[in-house]
Amino acid sequence: NTTSPNEQIATEPETILGAEQKNDYTAFDGLISKMNLTAIEYETLSILMAGFTMLQIGRILNVNRTTIWRRQNCIRKKYMFATSY
């Protein structure tokens, strides 16, 4: 059973945040700041969170979709590090 990178990024923060924090974006902002993303990683994550596909993001940022895939992997690693206790 596999999930796409988009599903992992979109679903994992909900497992960390409680129901009362669901609409509190300060919790997400705190998590993102803990991840220490570069400017381009942050831009890529923002577009991903807006629901765009890797191909669409590549067109928006004028880069190859392989580059977007690599950025997603870096973002995922930083997310895993930021959420490990």
Side-chain angles (χ1 to χ4, degrees):
N1 191 14
T2 61
T3 57
S4 73
N6 290 343
E7 290 173 7
Q8 289 178 343
I9 290 175
T11 58
E12 289 181 25
E14 291 182 355
T15 61
I16 293 171
L17 302 175
E20 68 278 355
Q21 293 176 316
K22 196 170 188 176
N23 292 325
D24 184 9
Y25 294 106
T26 58
F28 287 108
D29 292 339
L31 176 60
I32 289 172
S33 68
K34 281 177 57 177
M35 291 169 60
N36 296 319
L37 299 175
T38 64
I40 195 66
E41 288 171 342
Y42 182 79
E43 183 177 28
T44 302
L45 178 60
S46 297
I47 299 170
L48 270 169
M49 290 173 60
F52 289 90
T53 66
M54 283 199 302
L55 187 57
Q56 292 169 325
I57 296 169
R59 287 181 186 148
I60 292 168
L61 299 177
N62 197 29
V63 295
N64 191 305
R65 65 180 168 186
T66 305
T67 302
I68 301 301
W69 179 81
R70 273 189 255 125
R71 289 178 188 169
Q72 277 185 307
N73 283 337
C74 289
I75 293 167
R76 188 177 307 109
K77 287 176 187 176
K78 289 180 178 186
Y79 170 81
M80 297 304 285
F81 183 75
T83 57
S84 62
Y85 297 98

